[in-house]
Amino acid sequence: MAGRRVALKALDWMAFAERVPPNQRPMFNALKTRSDTLSAKLTSLPEAPPAIDWAFYKTAIAKAGMVDEFEKKFKALKIPEPVDTQTAKIDTQEQEAAKSAAAYIQASKKRIVEYEEELHKFKNMIPFDQMTLDEYYEAFPETKLDKQKYPYWPHKPIADL
């Protein structure tokens, strides 16, 4: 039984190690060592507990009925296995994280396209030392002062400063 449980929870330590940052490598190694120790201890245990020789105890114990009472209680004892209540929550969190990561990747691809267009614009632009003010204002319209709308210095609304 112990071997079956361990097989269900096997980890891909190589893939895990690739994701560990260098500054956390000692903690990762300690975790792996502890996991290997516990795994070895679990695999050393037998699949089923050893059977109790009730006949031997009936002959060895003087009080009559005591061994029968213990045997009845032992056979009635059922140790419940813990119910997994967290896997469903973790799966939903993983799906949400995958969706948000996909959305982030799509948004990043859009930003990359925008930045590449902007970079292309800058690469094909006349050098600043050869530009006239009109060419500069054409390339960067947000820097042009509106002297008609705001005739007094700083020629911009105060809220924009």
Side-chain angles (χ1 to χ4, degrees):
M1 188 161 72
R4 180 178 56 85
R5 288 186 195 153
V6 172
L8 291 175
K9 303 294 182 185
L11 292 176
D12 185 5
W13 287 103
M14 295 303 292
F16 190 8
E18 290 173 358
R19 291 175 173 81
V20 175
N23 64 336
Q24 294 180 357
R25 187 70 61 180
M27 290 188 293
F28 169 76
N29 290 336
L31 173 69
K32 182 164 180 355
T33 303
R34 177 132 171 97
S35 175
D36 290 344
T37 304
L38 291 174
S39 177
K41 192 179 287 187
L42 269 177
T43 55
S44 70
L45 296 174
E47 289 289 321
I52 298 174
D53 185 10
W54 295 108
F56 168 76
Y57 288 110
K58 285 180 184 176
T59 58
I61 295 179
K63 188 173 180 183
M66 184 176 182
V67 175
D68 293 332
E69 182 182 340
F70 279 150
E71 183 178 7
K72 189 185 307 177
K73 287 182 180 179
F74 181 77
K75 289 184 179 178
L77 178 67
K78 298 290 181 202
I79 300 174
E81 289 191 24
V83 179
D84 184 10
T85 58
Q86 299 300 316
T87 301
K89 292 178 185 177
I90 291 171
D91 289 342
T92 57
Q93 287 177 352
E94 183 179 5
Q95 290 172 355
E96 291 172 6
K99 288 178 185 175
S100 69
Y104 181 78
I105 289 170
Q106 290 299 326
S108 295
K109 287 180 180 178
K110 289 178 185 175
R111 283 193 307 272
I112 288 170
V113 169
E114 292 172 8
Y115 294 151
E116 285 177 347
E117 289 173 359
E118 193 173 342
L119 181 63
H120 180 71
K121 173 184 152 185
F122 288 136
K123 283 184 177 181
N124 294 332
M125 180 186 298
I126 300 171
F128 286 110
D129 57 353
Q130 297 174 9
M131 264 188 201
T132 64
L133 270 176
D134 292 334
E135 291 170 336
Y136 178 77
Y137 290 144
E138 186 180 324
F140 302 101
E142 67 275 1
T143 61
K144 186 174 183 178
L145 301 176
D146 190 1
K147 292 183 182 179
Q148 298 298 325
K149 190 172 181 182
Y150 304 104
Y152 300 107
W153 188 84
H155 307 293
K156 289 184 180 183
I158 300 297
D160 291 348
L161 294 178

